[in-house]
Amino acid sequence: AQLADRVGLFLREHHAATGAMLADSDQLDEVWFEYRDEDHAPVDPFDGYAYGFLPTATGVRIFSSGPDAEGETEDDIVVNLEFTAKSTP
């Protein structure tokens, strides 16, 4: 659940505030810098690169390369977050 902790919380907060989904990890890094007092979004502790994520129809899929530090292998860590629609006044 650590994967979803900081990145997932941030994505949920951003979505709740704006109703927008970020497109990719580059955009996450840009927006993270705007909202947090940090140079960049957290990186995957296994490979040192940005966490991967893909927007889905209802949220986002965040993924880490896992202990072998290689993407798209059996030990990848994947977290799916569902967002509720931003309500309109």
Side-chain angles (χ1 to χ4, degrees):
Q2 283 184 337
L3 172 59
D5 289 348
R6 291 188 70 210
V7 175
L9 178 62
F10 179 79
L11 291 171
R12 284 184 191 278
E13 289 172 354
H14 182 266
H15 182 263
T18 67
M21 300 270 204
L22 300 178
D24 57 30
S25 57
D26 289 335
Q27 190 177 27
L28 170 64
D29 213 42
E30 291 172 20
V31 174
W32 188 277
F33 179 72
E34 291 177 31
Y35 288 87
R36 298 285 195 259
D37 188 24
E38 300 174 44
D39 290 342
H40 55 79
V43 295
D44 185 336
F46 296 109
D47 65 14
Y49 293 104
Y51 286 109
F53 81 90
L54 296 169
T56 66
T58 58
V60 65
R61 175 175 294 145
I62 306 170
F63 49 93
S64 161
S65 63
D68 71 359
E70 296 291 329
E72 299 182 35
T73 59
E74 263 186 44
D75 72 339
D76 288 2
I77 300 166
V78 179
V79 175
N80 292 301
L81 300 175
E82 301 295 315
F83 299 154
T84 57
K86 182 173 171 65
S87 57
T88 54

Coordinates of all heavy atoms in Angstrom, one line a residue:
A1 N 0.8 -1.2 0.0 CA 0.0 0.0 0.0 C 0.9 1.3 0.0 O 0.3 2.3 -0.2 CB -0.9 0.0 1.2
Q2 N 2.2 1.1 0.3 CA 3.0 2.3 0.3 C 3.0 3.0 -1.1 O 3.1 4.2 -1.2 CB 4.4 2.0 0.6 CG 4.6 1.7 2.1 CD 6.1 1.5 2.4 OE1 6.9 1.1 1.5 NE2 6.5 1.7 3.6
L3 N 2.9 2.2 -2.2 CA 2.9 2.8 -3.5 C 1.7 3.8 -3.6 O 1.9 4.9 -4.1 CB 2.7 1.7 -4.5 CG 2.5 2.1 -6.0 CD1 3.6 2.9 -6.5 CD2 2.4 0.8 -6.8
A4 N 0.6 3.4 -3.1 CA -0.6 4.3 -3.3 C -0.6 5.4 -2.2 O -1.4 6.3 -2.4 CB -1.9 3.4 -3.1
D5 N 0.2 5.3 -1.2 CA 0.1 6.3 -0.1 C 0.4 7.7 -0.6 O -0.5 8.5 -0.7 CB 1.1 6.0 1.0 CG 0.6 4.8 1.8 OD1 -0.5 4.3 1.6 OD2 1.4 4.3 2.6
R6 N 1.6 8.0 -1.0 CA 1.9 9.4 -1.4 C 1.4 9.8 -2.8 O 0.8 10.8 -3.0 CB 3.4 9.7 -1.3 CG 3.9 9.7 0.1 CD 5.3 10.1 0.2 NE 5.4 11.5 0.0 CZ 6.5 12.1 -0.6 NH1 7.6 11.4 -0.9 NH2 6.5 13.4 -0.8
V7 N 1.7 8.9 -3.7 CA 1.3 9.2 -5.1 C -0.2 9.1 -5.2 O -0.9 10.0 -5.8 CB 2.0 8.3 -6.1 CG1 1.5 8.5 -7.5 CG2 3.5 8.5 -6.1
G8 N -0.8 8.1 -4.7 CA -2.2 7.9 -4.8 C -3.0 9.0 -4.1 O -4.0 9.5 -4.6
L9 N -2.6 9.4 -2.9 CA -3.2 10.5 -2.2 C -3.2 11.7 -3.0 O -4.2 12.5 -3.1 CB -2.6 10.6 -0.8 CG -3.1 11.8 0.1 CD1 -4.6 11.5 0.4 CD2 -2.3 11.9 1.4
F10 N -2.0 12.0 -3.5 CA -1.9 13.2 -4.3 C -2.8 13.2 -5.5 O -3.5 14.2 -5.8 CB -0.4 13.4 -4.8 CG -0.2 14.6 -5.6 CD1 -0.1 15.9 -5.0 CD2 -0.2 14.5 -7.0 CE1 0.0 17.0 -5.8 CE2 0.0 15.7 -7.8 CZ 0.1 16.9 -7.2
L11 N -2.8 12.1 -6.2 CA -3.7 12.0 -7.4 C -5.2 12.2 -7.0 O -5.9 12.8 -7.7 CB -3.5 10.7 -8.1 CG -2.1 10.5 -8.8 CD1 -1.9 9.1 -9.3 CD2 -2.0 11.5 -10.0
R12 N -5.6 11.6 -5.9 CA -6.9 11.8 -5.4 C -7.2 13.2 -5.1 O -8.3 13.7 -5.4 CB -7.2 10.9 -4.2 CG -7.4 9.4 -4.5 CD -7.7 8.7 -3.2 NE -7.7 7.3 -3.3 CZ -8.6 6.5 -3.8 NH1 -9.7 7.1 -4.3 NH2 -8.5 5.2 -3.9
E13 N -6.3 13.9 -4.4 CA -6.5 15.3 -4.0 C -6.6 16.1 -5.3 O -7.4 17.0 -5.3 CB -5.3 15.8 -3.1 CG -5.3 15.2 -1.7 CD -4.1 15.5 -1.0 OE1 -3.1 16.1 -1.5 OE2 -4.0 15.2 0.2
H14 N -5.7 15.9 -6.2 CA -5.7 16.7 -7.4 C -7.0 16.5 -8.2 O -7.6 17.4 -8.7 CB -4.5 16.3 -8.3 CG -4.4 17.1 -9.6 ND1 -5.0 16.6 -10.8 CD2 -3.9 18.3 -9.8 CE1 -4.8 17.6 -11.7 NE2 -4.1 18.6 -11.2
H15 N -7.5 15.2 -8.3 CA -8.7 15.0 -9.0 C -9.9 15.6 -8.3 O -10.8 16.2 -8.9 CB -8.9 13.5 -9.1 CG -10.2 13.1 -9.9 ND1 -11.3 12.8 -9.2 CD2 -10.4 13.1 -11.2 CE1 -12.3 12.6 -10.1 NE2 -11.7 12.7 -11.4
A16 N -9.9 15.5 -6.9 CA -11.0 16.1 -6.2 C -11.0 17.6 -6.4 O -12.1 18.2 -6.4 CB -10.9 15.8 -4.7
A17 N -9.9 18.3 -6.4 CA -9.8 19.7 -6.6 C -10.1 20.2 -8.0 O -10.7 21.3 -8.2 CB -8.4 20.2 -6.1
T18 N -9.7 19.4 -9.0 CA -9.8 19.9 -10.4 C -10.8 19.1 -11.2 O -11.2 19.6 -12.3 CB -8.4 19.8 -11.0 OG1 -8.0 18.5 -11.2 CG2 -7.4 20.6 -10.3
G19 N -11.1 17.9 -10.8 CA -11.9 17.0 -11.7 C -11.1 16.4 -12.8 O -11.6 15.7 -13.7
A20 N -9.8 16.7 -12.9 CA -9.0 16.3 -14.0 C -8.1 15.1 -13.6 O -7.7 14.9 -12.5 CB -8.0 17.4 -14.5
M21 N -7.8 14.3 -14.6 CA -6.9 13.2 -14.5 C -5.6 13.6 -15.1 O -5.6 14.2 -16.2 CB -7.4 11.9 -15.2 CG -8.7 11.4 -14.7 SD -8.5 10.2 -13.4 CE -10.0 9.3 -13.5
L22 N -4.5 13.3 -14.5 CA -3.2 13.6 -15.1 C -2.9 12.5 -16.2 O -3.4 11.4 -16.1 CB -2.1 13.5 -14.1 CG -2.3 14.6 -13.0 CD1 -1.1 14.4 -11.9 CD2 -2.3 16.0 -13.5
A23 N -2.2 12.9 -17.2 CA -2.0 12.1 -18.4 C -0.9 11.0 -18.2 O -1.0 9.9 -18.7 CB -1.8 12.9 -19.6
D24 N 0.2 11.4 -17.5 CA 1.3 10.5 -17.4 C 2.2 11.0 -16.3 O 2.0 12.0 -15.6 CB 2.1 10.5 -18.8 CG 2.5 11.9 -19.2 OD1 2.8 12.8 -18.4 OD2 2.6 12.1 -20.5
S25 N 3.3 10.3 -16.1 CA 4.2 10.6 -15.0 C 5.0 11.9 -15.2 O 5.3 12.5 -14.2 CB 5.2 9.4 -14.8 OG 6.0 9.2 -15.9
D26 N 5.2 12.3 -16.4 CA 5.8 13.7 -16.6 C 4.8 14.8 -16.1 O 5.3 15.7 -15.5 CB 6.1 13.9 -18.1 CG 7.2 13.0 -18.6 OD1 8.1 12.6 -17.8 OD2 7.3 12.8 -19.8
Q27 N 3.6 14.6 -16.4 CA 2.6 15.6 -15.9 C 2.5 15.5 -14.4 O 2.4 16.6 -13.8 CB 1.3 15.4 -16.6 CG 0.3 16.6 -16.3 CD -1.0 16.4 -17.1 OE1 -1.5 15.3 -17.4 NE2 -1.7 17.5 -17.3
L28 N 2.5 14.4 -13.9 CA 2.5 14.2 -12.4 C 3.7 15.0 -11.8 O 3.5 15.7 -10.8 CB 2.6 12.7 -12.0 CG 2.8 12.4 -10.5 CD1 1.7 12.9 -9.7 CD2 3.1 11.0 -10.3
D29 N 4.9 14.8 -12.4 CA 6.0 15.5 -11.8 C 5.9 17.0 -11.9 O 6.2 17.7 -10.9 CB 7.3 15.1 -12.7 CG 8.5 15.0 -11.8 OD1 8.5 14.6 -10.7 OD2 9.6 15.5 -12.3
E30 N 5.3 17.6 -13.0 CA 5.1 19.0 -13.1 C 4.1 19.5 -12.1 O 4.3 20.5 -11.4 CB 4.6 19.3 -14.5 CG 5.6 19.1 -15.6 CD 4.9 19.3 -17.0 OE1 3.8 19.9 -17.1 OE2 5.5 18.8 -18.0
V31 N 3.0 18.8 -12.0 CA 1.9 19.2 -11.0 C 2.4 19.0 -9.6 O 2.1 19.9 -8.7 CB 0.6 18.5 -11.3 CG1 -0.4 18.8 -10.3 CG2 0.1 18.8 -12.7
W32 N 3.1 18.0 -9.3 CA 3.7 17.7 -8.0 C 4.5 18.9 -7.5 O 4.4 19.4 -6.4 CB 4.5 16.5 -8.0 CG 5.0 16.0 -6.6 CD1 6.0 16.5 -5.9 CD2 4.3 15.1 -5.8 NE1 6.1 15.9 -4.7 CE2 5.1 15.0 -4.6 CE3 3.2 14.2 -5.9 CZ2 4.8 14.1 -3.6 CZ3 2.9 13.4 -4.9 CH2 3.7 13.3 -3.7
F33 N 5.4 19.4 -8.4 CA 6.2 20.5 -8.1 C 5.4 21.8 -7.8 O 5.8 22.5 -6.9 CB 7.2 20.8 -9.3 CG 8.1 22.0 -9.0 CD1 9.1 21.9 -8.1 CD2 7.9 23.2 -9.7 CE1 10.0 23.0 -7.9 CE2 8.7 24.3 -9.5 CZ 9.8 24.2 -8.6
E34 N 4.3 22.0 -8.5 CA 3.4 23.1 -8.2 C 2.8 23.1 -6.8 O 2.6 24.1 -6.2 CB 2.3 23.2 -9.3 CG 2.8 23.6 -10.6 CD 1.7 23.6 -11.7 OE1 0.5 23.9 -11.3 OE2 2.0 23.3 -12.8
Y35 N 2.4 21.9 -6.4 CA 1.6 21.7 -5.2 C 2.4 21.3 -3.9 O 1.9 21.4 -2.8 CB 0.5 20.7 -5.4 CG -0.6 21.2 -6.3 CD1 -0.5 21.0 -7.7 CD2 -1.8 21.8 -5.8 CE1 -1.5 21.5 -8.5 CE2 -2.8 22.2 -6.6 CZ -2.7 22.1 -8.0 OH -3.7 22.5 -8.8
R36 N 3.5 20.7 -4.1 CA 4.3 20.3 -3.0 C 5.7 21.0 -3.0 O 6.2 21.5 -4.0 CB 4.6 18.7 -3.2 CG 3.4 17.9 -3.2 CD 2.8 17.7 -1.8 NE 1.9 16.6 -1.7 CZ 0.6 16.8 -1.7 NH1 0.0 18.0 -1.9 NH2 -0.2 15.7 -1.6
D37 N 6.2 21.1 -1.8 CA 7.5 21.7 -1.6 C 8.6 20.7 -1.9 O 9.5 20.5 -1.0 CB 7.6 22.3 -0.2 CG 8.8 23.2 0.0 OD1 9.4 23.7 -1.0 OD2 9.3 23.3 1.1
E38 N 8.6 20.1 -3.0 CA 9.6 19.1 -3.4 C 9.9 19.3 -4.9 O 9.1 19.7 -5.7 CB 9.1 17.7 -3.2 CG 8.7 17.4 -1.7 CD 8.0 16.1 -1.6 OE1 8.5 15.1 -2.2 OE2 7.0 16.0 -0.8
D39 N 11.1 18.9 -5.3 CA 11.5 19.1 -6.7 C 10.8 18.2 -7.7 O 10.6 18.5 -8.8 CB 13.0 18.8 -6.9 CG 13.8 19.9 -6.2 OD1 13.3 21.0 -6.0 OD2 15.0 19.7 -6.0
H40 N 10.4 17.0 -7.2 CA 9.7 16.0 -8.1 C 8.9 15.0 -7.3 O 9.1 14.9 -6.1 CB 10.8 15.3 -9.0 CG 11.8 14.6 -8.2 ND1 11.6 13.4 -7.5 CD2 13.1 14.9 -7.9 CE1 12.7 13.0 -6.9 NE2 13.6 14.0 -7.1
A41 N 8.0 14.3 -8.0 CA 7.2 13.3 -7.4 C 8.1 12.2 -6.9 O 9.2 12.0 -7.3 CB 6.2 12.8 -8.4
P42 N 7.6 11.4 -5.9 CA 8.4 10.3 -5.4 C 8.7 9.3 -6.6 O 8.0 9.2 -7.5 CB 7.4 9.6 -4.5 CG 6.4 10.6 -4.1 CD 6.3 11.5 -5.3
V43 N 9.9 8.7 -6.4 CA 10.3 7.7 -7.4 C 10.2 6.3 -6.9 O 10.1 6.1 -5.6 CB 11.8 8.0 -7.8 CG1 11.9 9.3 -8.6 CG2 12.7 7.9 -6.7
D44 N 10.1 5.4 -7.8 CA 10.1 4.0 -7.4 C 11.4 3.6 -6.7 O 12.4 3.7 -7.3 CB 9.9 3.2 -8.7 CG 9.7 1.7 -8.5 OD1 10.1 1.2 -7.5 OD2 9.1 1.1 -9.4
P45 N 11.3 3.1 -5.5 CA 12.5 2.7 -4.7 C 13.2 1.5 -5.3 O 14.4 1.3 -5.0 CB 12.0 2.4 -3.3 CG 10.5 2.0 -3.5 CD 10.0 2.8 -4.7
F46 N 12.5 0.8 -6.2 CA 13.2 -0.4 -6.8 C 14.1 -0.1 -8.0 O 15.1 -0.7 -8.1 CB 12.1 -1.5 -7.2 CG 11.4 -2.0 -6.0 CD1 10.1 -1.7 -5.8 CD2 12.0 -2.9 -5.1 CE1 9.4 -2.2 -4.7 CE2 11.3 -3.4 -4.0 CZ 10.0 -3.0 -3.8
D47 N 13.7 0.9 -8.8 CA 14.5 1.2 -10.0 C 14.9 2.7 -10.0 O 15.7 3.0 -10.9 CB 13.7 0.8 -11.2 CG 12.5 1.6 -11.5 OD1 12.2 2.7 -10.8 OD2 11.7 1.2 -12.3
G48 N 14.5 3.5 -9.1 CA 14.9 4.9 -9.1 C 14.2 5.8 -10.1 O 14.6 7.0 -10.2
Y49 N 13.3 5.3 -10.9 CA 12.6 6.0 -11.9 C 11.2 6.4 -11.4 O 10.7 5.9 -10.3 CB 12.4 5.3 -13.2 CG 13.8 5.0 -13.9 CD1 14.4 3.8 -13.8 CD2 14.4 6.0 -14.6 CE1 15.6 3.5 -14.5 CE2 15.6 5.8 -15.2 CZ 16.2 4.6 -15.1 OH 17.4 4.4 -15.7
A50 N 10.5 7.3 -12.1 CA 9.2 7.7 -11.7 C 8.3 6.4 -11.7 O 8.4 5.5 -12.5 CB 8.6 8.7 -12.7
Y51 N 7.3 6.5 -10.8 CA 6.3 5.4 -10.8 C 5.5 5.5 -12.1 O 5.3 6.6 -12.6 CB 5.3 5.6 -9.7 CG 5.8 5.2 -8.3 CD1 6.0 6.2 -7.3 CD2 6.0 3.9 -7.9 CE1 6.5 5.9 -6.1 CE2 6.4 3.6 -6.7 CZ 6.7 4.6 -5.7 OH 7.1 4.2 -4.5
G52 N 5.2 4.4 -12.7 CA 4.4 4.4 -13.9 C 2.9 4.6 -13.5 O 2.5 4.2 -12.4
F53 N 2.2 5.2 -14.3 CA 0.7 5.2 -14.1 C 0.0 5.4 -15.4 O 0.5 6.0 -16.4 CB 0.3 6.1 -13.0 CG 0.1 7.6 -13.4 CD1 -1.1 8.0 -13.9 CD2 1.2 8.4 -13.3 CE1 -1.2 9.4 -14.2 CE2 1.0 9.8 -13.6 CZ -0.1 10.2 -14.1
L54 N -1.2 4.8 -15.5 CA -2.1 4.9 -16.6 C -3.4 5.4 -16.1 O -4.0 4.7 -15.2 CB -2.2 3.6 -17.3 CG -0.9 3.0 -17.9 CD1 -1.2 1.5 -18.3 CD2 -0.5 3.8 -19.1
P55 N -4.0 6.4 -16.7 CA -5.4 6.8 -16.4 C -6.3 5.6 -16.9 O -6.0 5.0 -17.9 CB -5.6 8.0 -17.2 CG -4.3 8.5 -17.6 CD -3.4 7.3 -17.7
T56 N -7.3 5.4 -16.1 CA -8.3 4.4 -16.5 C -9.6 5.2 -16.7 O -9.7 6.4 -16.4 CB -8.5 3.3 -15.5 OG1 -9.0 3.8 -14.3 CG2 -7.2 2.6 -15.2
A57 N -10.7 4.5 -17.0 CA -12.0 5.2 -17.2 C -12.5 5.7 -15.9 O -13.2 6.7 -15.9 CB -13.0 4.2 -17.8
T58 N -12.1 5.1 -14.8 CA -12.7 5.6 -13.5 C -11.6 5.9 -12.5 O -11.9 6.2 -11.3 CB -13.6 4.4 -12.9 OG1 -12.7 3.3 -12.7 CG2 -14.7 4.1 -13.8
G59 N -10.4 6.0 -12.9 CA -9.3 6.3 -11.9 C -7.9 6.2 -12.5 O -7.7 6.8 -13.6
V60 N -7.1 5.5 -11.8 CA -5.7 5.5 -12.3 C -5.1 4.1 -11.8 O -5.4 3.6 -10.8 CB -4.9 6.7 -11.8 CG1 -4.7 6.7 -10.3 CG2 -3.5 6.7 -12.5
R61 N -4.2 3.6 -12.6 CA -3.4 2.4 -12.3 C -2.0 2.9 -12.1 O -1.4 3.5 -13.0 CB -3.5 1.4 -13.4 CG -2.6 0.2 -13.1 CD -2.7 -0.9 -14.1 NE -4.1 -1.4 -14.0 CZ -4.9 -1.8 -15.0 NH1 -4.4 -1.8 -16.2 NH2 -6.1 -2.3 -14.8
I62 N -1.5 2.7 -10.8 CA -0.1 3.1 -10.5 C 0.7 1.8 -10.4 O 0.3 0.8 -9.9 CB 0.0 3.8 -9.1 CG1 -1.0 5.0 -9.1 CG2 1.4 4.2 -8.8 CD1 -1.1 5.5 -7.7
F63 N 1.9 1.8 -11.0 CA 2.7 0.6 -10.9 C 4.2 0.9 -10.6 O 4.7 1.9 -10.9 CB 2.6 -0.3 -12.2 CG 2.7 0.5 -13.4 CD1 3.9 0.6 -14.1 CD2 1.6 1.1 -14.0 CE1 4.1 1.2 -15.3 CE2 1.7 1.8 -15.2 CZ 3.0 1.9 -15.9
S64 N 4.8 -0.1 -10.0 CA 6.2 -0.1 -9.6 C 6.9 -1.3 -10.3 O 6.2 -2.4 -10.5 CB 6.3 -0.2 -8.1 OG 7.6 -0.7 -7.7
S65 N 8.2 -1.2 -10.5 CA 8.9 -2.3 -11.2 C 9.0 -3.5 -10.2 O 9.3 -4.6 -10.7 CB 10.2 -1.9 -11.7 OG 11.0 -1.5 -10.6
G66 N 8.9 -3.3 -8.9 CA 9.0 -4.4 -8.0 C 10.4 -4.7 -7.6 O 11.4 -4.1 -8.2
P67 N 10.7 -5.7 -6.8 CA 12.0 -6.0 -6.3 C 13.0 -6.4 -7.3 O 14.2 -6.1 -7.1 CB 11.7 -7.2 -5.4 CG 10.3 -7.1 -4.9 CD 9.6 -6.5 -6.1
D68 N 12.7 -6.9 -8.5 CA 13.7 -7.2 -9.5 C 14.1 -6.0 -10.3 O 15.0 -6.0 -11.1 CB 13.3 -8.3 -10.4 CG 12.1 -7.9 -11.4 OD1 11.7 -6.8 -11.3 OD2 11.8 -8.8 -12.2
A69 N 13.5 -4.8 -10.0 CA 13.8 -3.5 -10.7 C 13.6 -3.6 -12.2 O 14.1 -2.8 -13.0 CB 15.2 -3.0 -10.4
E70 N 12.8 -4.5 -12.7 CA 12.5 -4.7 -14.1 C 11.0 -4.6 -14.3 O 10.2 -5.2 -13.6 CB 12.9 -6.1 -14.6 CG 14.4 -6.3 -14.6 CD 15.2 -5.5 -15.6 OE1 14.6 -5.1 -16.6 OE2 16.3 -5.1 -15.3
G71 N 10.6 -3.7 -15.2 CA 9.1 -3.5 -15.5 C 8.6 -4.7 -16.3 O 9.3 -5.5 -16.9
E72 N 7.3 -4.9 -16.1 CA 6.5 -5.9 -16.8 C 7.0 -7.3 -16.5 O 7.1 -8.2 -17.4 CB 6.5 -5.6 -18.3 CG 5.8 -4.3 -18.7 CD 5.8 -4.0 -20.2 OE1 5.6 -4.9 -20.9 OE2 5.9 -2.8 -20.5
T73 N 7.2 -7.6 -15.3 CA 7.6 -8.9 -14.8 C 6.6 -9.3 -13.7 O 5.8 -8.5 -13.2 CB 9.0 -9.0 -14.3 OG1 9.2 -8.1 -13.2 CG2 10.0 -8.7 -15.4
E74 N 6.7 -10.6 -13.2 CA 5.8 -11.1 -12.3 C 5.7 -10.4 -10.9 O 4.7 -10.4 -10.2 CB 6.1 -12.6 -12.0 CG 5.3 -13.5 -12.8 CD 5.5 -15.0 -12.4 OE1 5.6 -15.3 -11.2 OE2 5.6 -15.8 -13.3
D75 N 6.9 -9.7 -10.5 CA 6.9 -9.1 -9.2 C 6.5 -7.6 -9.2 O 6.6 -7.0 -8.2 CB 8.3 -9.3 -8.6 CG 9.3 -8.4 -9.2 OD1 9.2 -8.0 -10.4 OD2 10.3 -8.2 -8.5
D76 N 6.0 -7.1 -10.4 CA 5.6 -5.7 -10.4 C 4.5 -5.5 -9.4 O 3.7 -6.4 -9.1 CB 5.0 -5.4 -11.8 CG 6.1 -5.3 -12.9 OD1 7.3 -5.5 -12.6 OD2 5.7 -5.0 -14.0
I77 N 4.5 -4.3 -8.8 CA 3.4 -4.0 -7.9 C 2.5 -3.0 -8.6 O 2.9 -2.0 -9.1 CB 4.1 -3.3 -6.6 CG1 5.1 -4.3 -6.0 CG2 3.0 -2.8 -5.6 CD1 6.0 -3.6 -5.0
V78 N 1.2 -3.4 -8.6 CA 0.2 -2.6 -9.3 C -0.9 -2.2 -8.3 O -1.4 -3.1 -7.6 CB -0.4 -3.4 -10.5 CG1 -1.4 -2.5 -11.2 CG2 0.7 -3.8 -11.4
V79 N -1.3 -1.0 -8.3 CA -2.4 -0.5 -7.4 C -3.4 0.2 -8.3 O -3.0 1.1 -9.1 CB -1.9 0.5 -6.3 CG1 -3.0 1.0 -5.5 CG2 -0.9 -0.2 -5.4
N80 N -4.6 -0.2 -8.3 CA -5.7 0.5 -9.0 C -6.5 1.4 -8.0 O -7.0 0.9 -7.0 CB -6.6 -0.5 -9.6 CG -6.0 -1.3 -10.7 OD1 -5.5 -0.7 -11.7 ND2 -5.9 -2.6 -10.6
L81 N -6.6 2.7 -8.4 CA -7.3 3.6 -7.6 C -8.6 4.1 -8.4 O -8.5 4.4 -9.5 CB -6.5 4.8 -7.2 CG -5.2 4.6 -6.4 CD1 -4.4 5.9 -6.3 CD2 -5.5 4.1 -5.1
E82 N -9.7 4.0 -7.7 CA -10.9 4.5 -8.3 C -11.3 5.8 -7.8 O -11.2 6.1 -6.6 CB -12.1 3.5 -8.0 CG -11.8 2.1 -8.5 CD -11.7 2.0 -10.0 OE1 -12.6 2.6 -10.7 OE2 -10.8 1.3 -10.5
F83 N -11.6 6.8 -8.6 CA -12.0 8.1 -8.2 C -13.5 8.3 -8.4 O -14.1 7.8 -9.4 CB -11.3 9.2 -9.0 CG -9.8 9.2 -8.9 CD1 -9.1 9.7 -10.0 CD2 -9.2 8.7 -7.8 CE1 -7.7 9.7 -9.9 CE2 -7.8 8.6 -7.8 CZ -7.0 9.2 -8.8
T84 N -14.1 9.0 -7.5 CA -15.5 9.4 -7.7 C -15.6 10.6 -8.6 O -14.6 11.4 -8.6 CB -16.2 9.6 -6.4 OG1 -15.5 10.7 -5.7 CG2 -16.3 8.4 -5.5
A85 N -16.6 10.7 -9.3 CA -16.8 11.9 -10.2 C -16.9 13.2 -9.4 O -17.5 13.2 -8.3 CB -18.0 11.7 -11.1
K86 N -16.2 14.2 -9.9 CA -16.3 15.5 -9.2 C -17.7 16.0 -9.4 O -18.3 16.1 -10.5 CB -15.3 16.5 -9.9 CG -15.3 17.8 -9.2 CD -14.2 18.7 -9.8 CE -14.2 20.1 -9.3 NZ -14.0 20.3 -7.9
S87 N -18.3 16.4 -8.3 CA -19.7 16.8 -8.3 C -19.7 18.3 -8.8 O -18.8 19.1 -8.5 CB -20.4 16.7 -7.0 OG -19.6 17.5 -6.0
T88 N -20.7 18.6 -9.6 CA -20.9 20.0 -10.0 C -22.0 20.7 -9.2 O -23.0 20.0 -8.9 CB -21.2 20.0 -11.5 OG1 -22.4 19.2 -11.7 CG2 -20.1 19.5 -12.4
P89 N -21.8 21.9 -8.9 CA -22.9 22.6 -8.1 C -24.2 22.8 -8.8 O -24.3 22.7 -10.0 CB -22.2 24.0 -7.9 CG -21.0 24.1 -8.6 CD -20.7 22.8 -9.3

